[in-house]
Amino acid sequence: QQQQQQQQEEEASISLNKSRSMSSIPMTGPLPHHQKDVYGNENPSFSSPSKPASEIQALAPQGSLPSPQSSSEDAQSQDPVWVYPSEEMFFNAMKRKGWNPQAPDMPMVVAIHNSVNERAWSEVMAWESRHKQACPTGPKLKRFLGKPNELSPKARILNFLGFAPPFDRHDWVVDRCGQEVRYVIDFYAGVPRPGGPPAAMFLDVRPALDSVSAAWDRLTMQASWITSGKWLSSS
């Protein structure tokens, strides 16, 4: 029976898509020959997902980030970008984690995973737009770290006040033309609205309070949000 199950898993893995899609997220510098991930592993494919496939499909959490890679054409014309894992890579990573991924779920899981990463980067870019003069070429993602079991200070305070904790957290380090800026990303499960998607999610993306500049950005952004009146329509 165990041999039959192993054979089924191998057949499922073979049927999975092996192609990888490129993200819109630029990375810092050229791709090194021996790239290490944030855990010090040589030549990583990507940082393994931190949630089972069922949770990724239901809540769209950040299971992993793409690995650094660029095509020969892109390498000649522009900065390299991060590349998303294939369905097969995602499936195998989950197996190594001891989970029970289902091959038919992988297209949806990977699509959600990629879409959420793009959304997170767009939120980062909204913050970085305040620094266009200081960094006219635009920011790049330098490294990342998943911290699913470590609440950020803001999430800890909100949880103390009675709000549900985020189901995942990532720290992204952005290269702002030579200056490292750390962003904290908390992923919350939202309440589906009538007529909306069956699974809702909220991303709280903001610069970590590591500097006076980051604190000023957060203060002015919050003030802008309050004066805009958007909080009235979202309540």
Side-chain angles (χ1 to χ4, degrees), residues 60-114:
Q62 287 295 279
S64 61
L65 272 175
S67 67
Q69 183 172 314
S70 63
S71 66
S72 57
E73 181 180 350
D74 287 330
Q76 295 174 1
S77 61
Q78 58 186 333
D79 292 326
V81 296
W82 293 81
V83 179
Y84 291 118
S86 66
E87 295 173 12
E88 182 185 55
M89 294 167 70
F90 216 107
F91 180 88
N92 291 335
M94 287 181 162
K95 293 297 296 182
R96 289 193 297 271
K97 286 277 189 177
W99 298 333
N100 185 32
Q102 302 299 311
D105 295 337
M106 287 301 102
M108 178 65 71
V109 169
V110 172
I112 292 174
H113 163 268
N114 297 357

Side-chain angles (χ1 to χ4, degrees), residues 57-60 119 167 187-193 196-203:
Q57 191 167 0
L59 299 175
R119 179 176 166 186
F167 58 80
F187 302 86
Y188 291 90
V191 178
R193 296 184 178 182
M201 177 192 52
F202 171 71
L203 273 62

Side-chain angles (χ1 to χ4, degrees), residues 25-43:
I25 307 173
M27 64 170 291
T28 300
L31 177 65
H33 179 65
H34 292 290
Q35 175 69 32
K36 287 188 177 182
D37 66 11
V38 292
Y39 306 107
N41 301 315
E42 291 281 358
N43 298 321

Side-chain angles (χ1 to χ4, degrees), residues 10-187:
E10 290 177 355
E11 291 176 355
S13 180
I14 292 174
S15 66
L16 290 169
N17 195 331
K18 297 179 176 61
S19 63
R20 307 175 63 183
S21 58
M22 301 186 77
S23 76
S24 66
I25 307 173
M27 64 170 291
T28 300
L31 177 65
H33 179 65
H34 292 290
Q35 175 69 32
K36 287 188 177 182
D37 66 11
V38 292
Y39 306 107
N41 301 315
E42 291 281 358
N43 298 321
S45 55
F46 63 100
S47 177
S48 300
S50 58
K51 297 287 179 181
S54 59
E55 294 187 38
I56 292 177
Q57 191 167 0
L59 299 175
Q62 287 295 279
S64 61
L65 272 175
S67 67
Q69 183 172 314
S70 63
S71 66
S72 57
E73 181 180 350
D74 287 330
Q76 295 174 1
S77 61
Q78 58 186 333
D79 292 326
V81 296
W82 293 81
V83 179
Y84 291 118
S86 66
E87 295 173 12
E88 182 185 55
M89 294 167 70
F90 216 107
F91 180 88
N92 291 335
M94 287 181 162
K95 293 297 296 182
R96 289 193 297 271
K97 286 277 189 177
W99 298 333
N100 185 32
Q102 302 299 311
D105 295 337
M106 287 301 102
M108 178 65 71
V109 169
V110 172
I112 292 174
H113 163 268
N114 297 357
S115 176
V116 174
N117 275 303
E118 293 293 328
R119 179 176 166 186
W121 181 249
S122 69
E123 296 282 347
V124 170
M125 290 296 291
W127 286 96
E128 287 296 308
S129 65
R130 307 169 67 86
H131 301 275
K132 284 184 178 180
Q133 289 186 345
C135 186
T137 57
K140 300 176 178 63
L141 179 60
K142 188 170 185 178
R143 60 182 183 272
F144 56 87
L145 180 63
K147 298 182 177 180
N149 301 316
E150 184 178 335
L151 289 180
S152 64
K154 181 179 179 180
R156 194 177 297 113
I157 293 172
L158 291 175
N159 187 232
F160 177 78
L161 294 176
F163 293 91
F167 58 80
D168 204 358
R169 170 190 170 181
H170 273 188
D171 284 13
W172 290 10
V173 176
V174 168
D175 179 359
R176 184 190 292 161
C177 294
Q179 177 188 2
E180 285 194 0
V181 182
R182 181 170 64 96
Y183 279 85
V184 178
I185 307 173
D186 285 326
F187 302 86

